[in-house]
Amino acid sequence: MSDIYKRCLQSAEYLKNCFDAKDAIGIILGSGLGELANEIEDAVTVNYADIPNFPKTTVPGHAGQLICGTLNGVKVLCMKGRFHFYEGHDMKTVAMPVRVMKLLGVKAIIVTNAAGGVNRTFKPGTLMIINDFINFMGDNPLYGPNADEFGPRFPDMTKAIDAGFVQIAEDCAKELDIDIRKGVYMSFRGPNFETPAEIRFAETIGADAVGMSTVPELLTARHCSLPAVGISCITNMAAGITGEELTHEEVQETADRVKDQFKGLVKTMITRM
Ligand code: HPA
């Protein structure tokens, strides 16, 4: 048995005594988007600190709780707060909750984040469906001996994002009158925001948005055949595009401004996934 499989099993065994997440939709909430978790009914909340093998989060605005319950009539398992590579966790640790979700019987996941807009037609507050991604983190959660229990050595990434879920997200946005966009998310290691030169590079190679998360989770989900889609909240235009300096406060302010649209979108999407 691979070491990572053993560690994930231990976490999953503990959590199975707390709630039943079979066939739930997994939701990973990004910076400033955690409020959705407050709407979960019949919620069972488990602190990451209490879960065997789970690390602790260190970022302001990330609470660190796993919440299982019902959202808009749909069973969900929600991560309020995630692990980032820039916190010093290794990539396997960053993506480990996705594997635990898989072991708990979660049937699909939505990964969300705050991101910088590279596509010049975006505005702060734009929501973007991630329909492909670029791993620019210089590391990979699947690196090292393959965990055969989860998936193959060379997982295909042609369909890393579930095309059906992208369509569902588009349909839901249209019905909710949300002007949503689709695009490529490119992940940097962080923790600094990118330089203007890096953003010109990102633009050149086809990125629409940049951030410091999500790609580890999406790679890991694909590896273990957990269908996935991502939603980015464009909280700011990326470095150098407007000339303004970037701050974490701006990220949180914008996420807060569009949280109702974001929540409405996710709540509608989960009823169809
Ligand atoms: N860059 C990287 N990560 C981010 C940004 C950004 O501009 N905005 C929010 N998260």
Side-chain angles (χ1 to χ4, degrees):
M1 195 189 291
S2 66
D3 183 54
I4 183 72
Y5 185 69
K6 204 182 329 178
R7 281 195 279 148
C8 291
L9 263 187
Q10 284 167 351
S11 308
E13 286 310 316
Y14 175 87
L15 291 167
K16 277 180 185 168
N17 289 322
C18 305
F19 50 68
D20 172 16
K22 187 161 167 26
D23 294 328
I25 305 288
I27 306 172
I28 300 179
L29 294 172
S31 284
L33 303 171
E35 232 191 68
L36 183 65
N38 302 342
E39 299 189 16
I40 298 175
E41 291 170 15
D42 304 317
V44 178
T45 300
V46 184
N47 292 324
Y48 294 165
D50 294 329
I51 307 172
N53 307 330
F54 255 56
K56 295 182 183 68
T57 53
T58 62
V59 194
H62 288 255
Q65 293 174 326
L66 205 52
I67 304 154
C68 190
T70 309
L71 185 62
N72 206 12
V74 178
K75 200 201 278 189
V76 294
L77 179 57
C78 192
M79 279 184 76
K80 188 175 181 187
R82 62 143 61 86
F83 306 117
H84 297 88
F85 193 42
Y86 63 73
E87 293 175 80
H89 305 297
D90 65 39
M91 284 288 254
K92 274 196 180 44
T93 304
V94 169
M96 177 211 179
V98 171
R99 289 176 158 172
V100 174
M101 284 189 182
K102 175 76 180 180
L103 293 175
L104 292 170
V106 165
K107 67 174 181 182
I109 59 165
I110 306 178
V111 190
T112 71
N113 60 48
V118 174
N119 185 318
R120 287 164 194 269
T121 69
F122 291 0
K123 295 189 293 283
T126 298
L127 295 181
M128 183 190 91
I129 306 163
I130 299 172
N131 66 3
D132 204 349
F133 57 84
I134 297 169
N135 178 12
F136 195 62
M137 298 177 103
D139 203 341
N140 191 307
L142 308 176
Y143 181 78
N146 185 51
D148 297 327
E149 298 91 343
F150 288 113
R153 170 77 294 185
F154 300 113
D156 175 67
M157 289 294 153
T158 314
K159 296 180 178 170
I161 304 291
D162 188 285
F165 293 168
V166 171
Q167 188 61 53
I168 287 171
E170 279 191 281
D171 293 346
C172 293
K174 199 166 178 196
E175 286 166 35
L176 296 167
D177 211 15
I178 298 169
D179 180 24
I180 206 154
R181 309 293 300 273
K182 285 187 288 191
V184 175
Y185 176 87
M186 178 173 176
S187 60
F188 285 73
R189 288 170 86 110
N192 58 286
F193 291 116
E194 301 71 28
T195 64
E198 287 167 343
I199 294 305
R200 288 194 298 274
F201 166 65
E203 192 174 17
T204 304
I205 66 168
D208 295 293
V210 291
M212 307 172 195
S213 67
T214 303
V215 168
E217 290 101 324
L218 290 174
L219 287 169
T220 307
R222 181 60 178 153
H223 180 248
C224 69
S225 305
L226 185 57
V229 67
I231 305 287
S232 289
C233 171
I234 306 299
T235 51
N236 55 280
M237 292 312 288
I241 292 186
T242 66
E244 295 294 316
E245 289 185 50
L246 277 47
T247 63
H248 186 58
E249 287 67 37
E250 180 191 4
V251 169
Q252 288 185 309
E253 273 166 30
T254 309
D256 199 54
R257 181 161 60 77
V258 296
K259 68 184 178 202
D260 287 336
Q261 277 192 358
F262 168 80
K263 288 193 285 191
L265 178 67
V266 173
K267 280 163 69 176
T268 313
M269 283 173 65
I270 56 176
T271 65
R272 305 183 193 178
M273 290 171 63

